[in-house]
Amino acid sequence: RQGQRRRAAAKDFRTPERASGVFEARIRRDLVAPPRILYCHCAHARVVPPRVKNEVLDRLAAAGVPVEAVADLCEMSARRDPALQALAEGEGELRIAACFPRSVRWLFAAAGAPLPEGDGAGDGDGGTDSRVRIANMREESAVEVADALLEGVERPAAGAALTSDSAPNEKS
């Protein structure tokens, strides 16, 4: 009898999804932190077309994912804002919607918060590496920028209710 129970337990463990490696892939995906998304509104320089900025922001909001939106990275760099250091040193991948990748890297470095260097697998202009992806709103369409930022990001189910932790404070 005990042998039968062991065989039954072993048989239950070998489900098709576990045998195919799907189970292991799910575990690994759950252990990887979702990318952090930083959106720069370029409020002072006005170098990014307003239509592109607004559409990117609308698409990010519609996706329902957490986004750190800042008025202007240039201003933050000039003030040496400590938030740039926290972003540069944070865990996981950082995805940034701003202007030219080399400019964004320079702004972080000028603020004393250099972004991590790539592993050589990037696109050559400093925009993509293993930890940082920079989408250029000056040259790419809003759709291209939003797609780059949201690639592979798990989005909340449509119509999902807010939890008490994420719901805004409302008085009844």
Side-chain angles (χ1 to χ4, degrees):
R1 284 192 148 168
Q2 196 170 15
Q4 288 175 337
R5 280 189 235 154
R6 284 184 188 154
R7 281 192 299 275
K11 183 179 178 187
D12 289 343
F13 183 75
R14 285 181 261 139
T15 63
E17 66 178 17
R18 286 192 174 122
S20 68
V22 173
F23 180 74
E24 289 81 5
R26 281 193 198 135
I27 291 173
R28 281 189 221 107
R29 186 181 69 221
D30 292 343
L31 294 177
V32 176
R36 297 165 295 131
I37 298 175
L38 173 64
Y39 167 85
C40 174
H41 199 65
C42 298
H44 301 299
R46 300 179 195 235
V47 294
V48 175
R51 182 189 54 75
V52 173
K53 292 189 299 189
N54 294 330
E55 188 176 340
V56 168
L57 193 55
D58 288 345
R59 287 175 177 273
L60 292 174
V65 298
V67 175
E68 175 96 21
V70 299
D72 199 280
L73 280 175
C74 295
E75 178 188 14
M76 291 177 75
S77 176
R79 289 187 290 116
R80 299 179 68 88
D81 192 313
L84 295 178
Q85 188 75 34
L87 287 163
E89 293 177 351
E91 290 295 317
E93 183 183 9
L94 175 62
R95 297 181 184 179
I96 304 170
C99 60
F100 293 108
R102 66 182 177 274
S103 300
V104 173
R105 287 188 172 282
W106 184 89
L107 289 169
F108 272 83
L115 291 171
E117 288 300 322
D119 55 6
D123 59 6
D125 70 357
T128 305
D129 64 38
S130 60
R131 294 221 24 236
V132 178
R133 186 183 304 187
I134 302 170
N136 185 345
M137 292 192 292
R138 288 183 76 173
E139 293 188 336
E140 298 173 42
S141 72
V143 172
E144 291 171 322
V145 171
D147 287 350
L149 297 174
L150 296 171
E151 181 184 342
V153 174
E154 192 170 318
R155 301 173 196 186
L162 292 174
T163 64
S164 59
D165 293 339
S166 63
N169 292 333
E170 295 181 16
K171 294 184 180 179
S172 304

